[in-house]
Structure formats: structure tokens, C-alpha cells
């Protein structure tokens, strides 16, 4: 069966926004220091940066976007069992690719300690393998049941996790004192349940991948009629607002600053629900109003969206290479200009990736025609 990725302009837009947000947030960590937070605490630029950091929460939608993109890797018109087998196979393949790429990144960054290093690509790899297993064990229509059960487990986990991780036991200092086997056991526990060390834990973040997968499944089968989308916008908006009513959520947001990109993943459950509902809200709203057209804006979106995987891999090198030039610049330049500068480089790189992909597609089509 030929794998066919269906287009969804709204998802491309949301993915581009999330990748741009990720680049901006990561850029700050290279040129803004904890000392700057104290030195410029009354600076308008820093206050604006803290607000923008909250708006950049859209980078937390990346797992849900990945789940939606996975579902679109096959045509919904095929036989249900064939579709399920194809998605299971594709999910397993990409899961292995993500996980191995995560290992390579850990080796490049942590060298000797890469075995105990865990990054977002590890998370996506493990999650995609789990999706493959779920699709192998049960019908596609039961993914809603699995999602509900995992989310329920996440809620229960929130109440029992404090008894499993007693700070400062779960800390970098402890990892240095433990032997290899004990480190791996602790890491597996943290990867599954989450802690202050491992950000992308399976509970609750695996739920976001499943939500994205299921919403894309709904889109692929029904193309999301206007009535359904309008209802989804209203319901998801209500859930977002309801989550923000929790004092823990508002307190958590108030404590965030421009350097809290990692800490933002340890949000309370109410804010997690609002964040994932925000993804559904944004994607539904964009599906209603965003139509892909051929213009510079759509080219920008395609560069960030279609080149997202490669941009993720390369943007850290851009940051490392470009940041020394801005280390001693005024705070305004570091907060606003540097992220924009890196973003431009990533757009250029993404454009090259997209163009190379088009040429490869043309070559494959020509070869197929010649063979036939």
C-alpha cells in the first residue's frame, strides 16, 4: 500500500505556529540569563517577554500535532483493517526513527551520560511505538477508550505521584550517587509517571498525542463539517476557561518567566486540560477560517511545517553558532531581535528542505512512469 499523507491546511498553520514558538522559547535560553531576570526585573522588555512566553505555550501542542500528523499518514478511504495495519506499521517506523534520533542528540549533547538523557524525541518515539501497539491489539475505533483510560490514569497519578517522588530524592545529585541499574529504574519510573527531571512523561503527555490522532481521524473521515467545528470551538473554549478557573492554574501561570520553558511542562492537571483543549480550539477555528493559498505567507507556513522535523534537529546548532554574537547585546535585542534572527535562518533552512522534498517527489514520479 502506498502511504499517502492527506493535506490539512489548518494543521500546517498550527504546526508552523508551534515550531516558531519553540524556536523563540529556546532562543531566550541561549542569550538571557537568570541574572538578567533580577537585573532587568523592572524592564518593560522583560515584562513583554514574560507575556510572550505565556503566548508561546503553543509549542506544548507539538505532541498533539505529531499525533494528528501520524494519523494523516494514510488515506481514510481504504478498508478499516488495512488502514489500521498501515497506521500501525507507519507509527512503529517513525517511533523507531524518533527514538534513535533522540539517542543521537543525547550522544552529541551529553556524550558519556547519554544513556540517562531523555529528550522530546525519545518521548515521541516511545509514544509512537505505543500507538502502534494499541492499533495492533485493538480496532481503531477503540482508540477513544484507550485515550480515556490513559487520561483517567493521569488524574489518579497526580494524587499518588507525590508519594513516589519525595524531593530531593528525585534530583540530579541523586542520579550521580546511584549505580547504573538504579539510575535506569528511576528513569523508567520518571518517564512513565513524570517528575521534576523528566518533562515529557507518558502520563499525562501521551494523552495529547492520542487527542491529536483522534481529532485527525475525525477530520480524515468526515472532513469536519462546519456545524461540528462550530460546536467543537464552543465546547473546547468552555473547557479552556474552566481549566483557568482553578487557582493552581492561574498561580502557575503567574510564576512563569521567560526562562521557564522546561518548568512549564510541570503544569497542574487543570492547566494541562486547558492546554490540550486549546489545541483543539485553535485547530477547529483555523479549519473554519484558514484556507491555503499560494502566497508568501503560505510559503512561510510550509517551510516551518513541512520542515519541522529537520528544523528541530538543526535549530540548536543555529542557536549555538549565532548566540555568541548577541551575548553582550542590550536586553531588548536579546529578547526580541535574536529569536527573530534565528527564526529567519530556520525558515530559510525549512524552505530548502521543502524544495528538496519536491524535487525528490518529481524524480520518484518520473522513475515510476518510466518503469511502467
Amino acid at each position: 500500500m502506498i502511504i499517502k499523507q492527506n493535506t490539512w491546511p489548518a494543521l500546517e498553520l498550527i504546526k508552523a505556529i508551534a515550531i516558531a514558538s519553540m524556536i523563540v522559547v529556546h532562543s531566550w535560553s541561549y542569550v538571557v540569563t537568570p541574572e538578567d531576570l533580577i537585573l532587568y526585573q523592572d524592564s518593560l522588555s522583560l515584562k513583554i517577554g514574560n507575556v510572550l512566553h505565556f503566548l508561546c505555550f503553543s509549542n506544548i501542542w507539538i505532541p498533539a500535532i505529531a499525533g494528528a500528523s501520524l494519523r494523516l499518514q494514510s488515506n481514510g478511504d481504504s478498508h478499516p483493517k488495512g488502514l489500521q495495519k498501515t497506521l500501525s506499521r507507519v507509527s512503529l517506523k517513525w517511533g523507531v526513527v524518533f527514538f534513535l534520533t533522540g539517542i543521537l542528540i543525547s550522544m552529541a549533547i551529553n556524550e558519556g551520560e547519554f544513556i540517562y538523557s531523555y529528550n522530546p524525541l525519545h518521548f515521541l518515539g516511545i509514544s509512537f511505538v505505543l500507538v502502534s501497539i494499541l492499533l495492533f491489539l485493538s480496532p481503531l475505533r477503540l482508540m477513544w477508550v484507550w485515550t480515556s483510560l490513559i487520561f483517567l490514569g493521569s488524574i489518579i497519578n497526580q494524587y499518588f505521584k507525590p508519594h513516589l517522588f519525595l524531593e530531593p530524592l528525585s534530583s540530579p545529585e541523586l542520579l550521580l550517587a546511584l549505580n547504573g541499574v538504579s539510575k535506569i529504574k528511576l528513569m523508567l519510573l520518571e518517564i512513565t509517571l513524570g517528575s521534576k527531571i523528566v518533562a515529557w512523561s507518558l502520563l499525562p503527555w501521551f494523552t495529547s498525542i492520542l487527542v491529536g490522532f483522534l481529532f485527525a481521524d475525525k477530520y480524515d473521515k468526515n472532513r469536519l463539517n462546519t456545524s461540528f467545528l462550530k460546536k467543537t470551538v464552543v465546547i473546547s473554549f468552555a473547557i479552556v476557561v474552566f481549566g483557568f478557573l482553578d487557582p493552581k492554574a492561574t498561580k502557575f501561570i503567574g510564576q512563569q518567566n521567560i526562562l521557564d520553558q522546561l518548568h512549564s511542562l510541570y503544569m497542574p492537571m487543570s492547566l494541562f486540560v486547558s492546554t490540550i483543549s486549546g489545541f483543539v480550539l485553535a485547530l477547529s477555528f483555523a479549519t473554519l477560517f484558514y484556507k491555503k493559498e499560494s502566497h508568501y505567507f503560505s510559503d512561510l507556513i510550509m517551510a516551518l511545517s513541512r520542515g519541522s522535523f529537520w528544523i528541530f534537529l538543526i535549530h540548536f546548532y543555529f542557536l549555538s553558532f549565532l548566540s555568541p554574537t548577541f551575548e553582550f547585546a542590550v536586553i531588548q535585542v536579546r529578547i526580541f531581535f535574536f529569536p527573530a534572527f534565528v527564526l529567519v535562518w530556520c525558515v530559510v533552512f525549512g524552505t530548502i528542505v521543502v524544495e528538496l522534498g519536491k524535487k525528490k517527489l518529481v524524480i520518484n514520479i518520473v522513475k515510476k512512469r518510466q518503469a511502467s
Side-chain angles (χ1 to χ4, degrees):
M1 180 183 294
I2 298 175
I3 305 300
K4 178 182 178 183
Q5 181 171 2
N6 302 309
T7 58
W8 188 355
L11 182 62
E12 301 285 1
L13 173 63
I14 298 302
K15 187 189 296 186
I17 293 173
I19 294 300
S21 171
M22 175 197 73
I23 293 169
V24 171
V25 168
H26 287 171
S27 296
W28 287 328
S29 66
Y30 276 75
V31 293
V32 179
T33 66
E35 290 75 18
D36 289 327
L37 300 182
I38 300 174
L39 185 62
Y40 299 103
Q41 58 183 328
D42 296 324
S43 167
L44 178 61
S45 297
L46 184 59
K47 291 178 180 179
I48 294 175
N50 289 334
V51 173
L52 290 177
H53 174 265
F54 170 70
L55 296 178
C56 284
F57 259 42
S58 55
N59 74 91
I60 297 177
W61 294 343
I62 289 177
I65 293 169
S69 300
L70 170 64
R71 174 57 187 85
L72 296 182
Q73 290 292 311
S74 186
N75 195 336
D77 296 331
S78 59
H79 190 276
K81 289 187 177 179
L83 170 64
Q84 184 172 329
K85 289 181 179 178
T86 300
L87 287 173
S88 179
R89 185 175 70 249
V90 173
S91 183
L92 179 61
K93 180 189 75 173
W94 277 105
V96 172
V97 169
F98 283 140
F99 191 82
L100 292 179
T101 307
I103 291 177
L104 292 176
I105 290 179
S106 294
M107 290 176 66
I109 296 175
N110 299 283
E111 298 180 353
E113 292 293 317
F114 77 92
I115 295 176
Y116 312 112
S117 175
Y118 183 82
N119 60 55
L121 287 177
H122 285 105
F123 166 74
L124 289 177
I126 294 173
S127 297
F128 273 37
V129 170
L130 288 176
V131 170
S132 177
I133 293 172
L134 292 178
L135 289 171
F136 179 79
L137 294 176
S138 61
L140 182 60
R141 64 178 183 274
L142 290 184
M143 290 296 281
W144 287 102
V145 177
W146 289 115
T147 304
S148 301
L149 290 175
I150 293 170
F151 178 62
L152 179 61
S154 301
I155 296 175
I156 296 173
N157 177 54
Q158 287 290 311
Y159 291 96
F160 287 96
K161 189 169 63 174
H163 302 288
L164 297 173
F165 298 107
L166 302 177
E167 300 295 343
L169 292 180
S170 180
S171 65
E173 290 75 16
L174 172 65
L175 288 178
L176 293 174
L178 293 176
N179 59 42
V181 175
S182 298
K183 284 183 182 180
I184 292 175
K185 286 182 179 179
L186 179 59
M187 264 199 76
L188 291 176
L189 187 63
E190 293 176 328
I191 289 169
T192 305
L193 305 181
S195 75
K196 289 186 178 180
I197 295 178
V198 178
W200 293 113
S201 58
L202 292 175
L203 294 178
W205 289 100
F206 183 45
T207 310
S208 64
I209 287 183
L210 295 177
V211 169
F213 182 93
L214 291 170
F215 198 65
D217 183 63
K218 184 75 173 178
Y219 166 81
D220 194 52
K221 291 178 179 177
N222 305 293
R223 296 293 153 173
L224 294 180
N225 59 65
T226 302
S227 176
F228 174 82
L229 286 170
K230 290 180 178 178
K231 291 178 181 177
T232 303
V233 167
V234 173
I235 294 173
S236 56
F237 178 76
I239 295 175
V240 169
V241 173
F242 183 76
F244 278 113
L245 294 178
D246 182 3
K248 291 182 180 179
T250 53
K251 180 181 178 181
F252 183 86
I253 293 172
Q255 293 173 341
Q256 298 295 294
N257 63 61
I258 200 171
L259 294 181
D260 274 341
Q261 57 266 28
L262 184 63
H263 182 254
S264 63
L265 297 174
Y266 306 119
M267 59 182 64
M269 182 58 64
S270 56
L271 187 55
F272 171 79
V273 172
S274 289
T275 301
I276 303 307
S277 299
F279 163 76
V280 175
L281 170 63
L283 187 53
S284 301
F285 193 82
T287 305
L288 279 171
F289 297 103
Y290 175 72
K291 307 298 179 185
K292 180 182 177 182
E293 298 176 0
S294 180
H295 47 60
Y296 291 114
F297 183 65
S298 64
D299 292 340
L300 172 64
I301 290 172
M302 287 299 104
L304 290 172
S305 177
R306 296 291 173 88
S308 58
F309 175 70
W310 298 105
I311 288 175
F312 178 84
L313 295 182
I314 202 69
H315 83 287
F316 289 110
Y317 294 98
F318 284 150
L319 290 169
S320 297
F321 180 73
L322 298 172
S323 59
T325 308
F326 293 84
E327 283 182 354
F328 301 104
V330 296
I331 191 68
Q332 292 85 353
V333 171
R334 285 183 281 150
I335 290 178
F336 302 116
F337 183 76
F338 177 67
F341 189 60
V342 177
L343 183 58
V344 169
W345 276 95
C346 289
V347 169
V348 172
F349 179 77
T351 302
I352 294 173
V353 170
V354 171
E355 292 302 317
L356 289 176
K358 289 178 181 177
K359 290 183 178 181
K360 182 179 179 181
L361 178 61
V362 171
I363 293 172
N364 289 338
I365 291 175
V366 171
K367 286 183 176 179
K368 185 177 180 181
R369 286 178 177 175
Q370 291 175 345
S372 61

